[in-house]
Amino acid sequence: MTTLTLTTPRRADWLPKYGVYLAIAALIVYNAAFTPYFLTVSNLRIQLIQVAPIIIVALGMALVIGTEGIDLSVGAVMALVAALIPLYLGYGVIAAVIVSLLAGVAVGLINGALVAKVGLQPIVATLALFVGGRGLAVVISDGQLKDIRNADLIYLGSGDLLGIPVLVWTAALAILVVAFTVRRTVFGRRLLAIGGNRPAAELAGLPVQRVLITVYVLCAVLAAIAGLLSVGRIQSSDASSIGLLIELSAITAVVVGGTPLTGGRVRVLGTVAGAVLMQLVIATMIKNNLPPSTTEMVQAAIILVAVYAARERKTR
């Protein structure tokens, strides 16, 4: 009787921990068997390029969700970057990069201050910039799509380094930095402590407000980097479409990857796997000529399963 009591919770944990990896393996096997040219180098390259910006944004989202927050403004940050780049690209790509990062810092500071200082709910605070940020981006760009011809910026979004896209290298570097931050730094431990029990963290003397503001700044900066690279990849600046609804893709990747919406835990590799899984789902649907509505329904089902599995794990 004792043995059953000890082993049952462990068996119940396998879905939120390993379900995303099993789903990826199943999709790869299916596509390898039934989808022509799926396992080619060119297709692998396309999938990695398409998922890389989502991974970068999702990593920042995972940090925010780890504090029991949410950030709906990441797509607006990408749009702002897209609008600002043409204005400063004439001064060189370094100037454009600096302005992009500063835009991310500014949005992060606003979001963080509204959450940590003013005390607004994260969904309310970031919803304001979700709407207003993209509107401001459209105003800055005058609603026009502008071609990007700067070779350095195009290289960042479309070039290769040692045969691997720079975009993929950037996503890999972001994964390493976020994983190290969460697992090996005092900041990471404070982040998880605040997400696990904010009142207790405040009583323990942790700098809760400073950590929260920093988390939202990091999230916005990662979104700015994704926006910069996306502009270089498509070689145009369209503030009305770049980053559109990417916040939903990022939240989906985080949730499917096993990070609970209740905070206190950040699964970095799970987040990456969640983004890869959703990209494989989309690619599989497209290659099998299924309508977008079917893809959306499948994605919704995956999210429901992931949330239910996390809920069951927490209640045990």
Side-chain angles (χ1 to χ4, degrees):
M1 190 69 176
T2 303
T3 303
L4 179 61
T5 303
L6 289 174
T7 57
T8 300
R10 294 181 181 178
R11 290 176 181 174
D13 284 350
W14 75 270
L15 184 58
K17 280 186 176 180
Y18 308 113
V20 62
Y21 304 106
L22 294 175
I24 290 174
L27 276 175
I28 291 175
V29 171
Y30 172 84
N31 283 288
F34 299 105
T35 304
Y37 311 111
F38 180 79
L39 292 181
T40 61
V41 174
S42 60
N43 182 63
L44 176 62
R45 177 186 176 89
I46 291 172
Q47 301 305 322
L48 288 176
I49 288 175
Q50 289 179 344
V51 79
I54 299 175
I55 289 176
I56 295 172
V57 175
L59 290 169
M61 188 69 71
L63 294 177
V64 173
I65 291 178
T67 66
E68 201 179 2
I70 202 80
D71 190 347
L72 300 179
S73 67
V74 289
V77 172
M78 294 179 66
L80 278 172
V81 168
L84 291 171
I85 283 176
L87 301 180
Y88 294 92
L89 200 54
Y91 299 100
V93 70
I94 295 178
V97 170
I98 292 175
V99 169
S100 299
L101 296 180
L102 289 177
V105 170
V107 173
L109 286 173
I110 294 172
N111 286 334
L114 290 175
V115 172
K117 299 283 189 181
V118 180
L120 292 180
Q121 289 293 323
I123 192 170
V124 176
T126 59
L127 182 62
L129 282 171
F130 167 80
V131 178
R134 188 171 294 275
L136 177 60
V138 172
V139 170
I140 293 173
S141 64
D142 200 23
Q144 297 180 356
L145 186 150
K146 300 179 181 179
D147 292 332
I148 300 297
R149 303 184 185 279
N150 184 280
D152 294 327
L153 182 57
I154 292 173
Y155 174 76
L156 291 177
S158 306
D160 286 1
L161 179 63
L162 302 177
I164 299 175
V166 174
L167 190 55
V168 176
W169 281 114
T170 306
L173 179 60
I175 294 168
L176 293 175
V177 171
V178 172
F180 178 82
T181 300
V182 171
R183 298 178 182 177
R184 302 293 183 182
T185 66
V186 174
F187 173 79
R189 290 191 289 272
R190 288 175 173 175
L191 182 157
L192 299 179
I194 292 169
N197 192 327
R198 181 171 174 177
E202 291 174 340
L203 289 174
L206 297 183
V208 173
Q209 291 187 353
R210 188 170 71 220
V211 171
L212 287 175
I213 292 174
T214 304
V215 165
Y216 281 92
V217 168
L218 289 175
C219 182
V221 167
L222 286 169
I225 293 172
L228 178 74
L229 296 174
S230 295
V231 170
R233 180 170 68 89
I234 65 177
Q235 300 179 26
S236 65
S237 170
D238 185 3
S240 62
S241 64
I242 286 182
L244 187 64
L245 299 182
I246 197 171
E247 51 278 335
L248 301 183
S249 298
I251 294 170
T252 300
V254 175
V255 172
V256 170
T259 297
L261 291 172
T262 51
R265 186 183 300 117
V266 175
R267 294 178 60 85
V268 177
L269 291 182
T271 297
V272 175
V276 171
L277 174 61
M278 303 313 293
Q279 176 62 33
L280 285 176
V281 168
I282 294 172
T284 301
M285 298 294 177
I286 292 174
K287 291 181 181 296
N288 287 276
N289 298 317
L290 293 174
S293 57
T294 303
T295 303
E296 292 168 358
M297 287 188 290
V298 171
Q299 289 177 310
I302 293 174
I303 295 170
L304 288 175
V305 171
V307 173
Y308 178 78
R311 176 178 173 273
E312 285 295 296
R313 182 183 180 190
K314 183 179 179 181
T315 56
R316 289 181 182 270

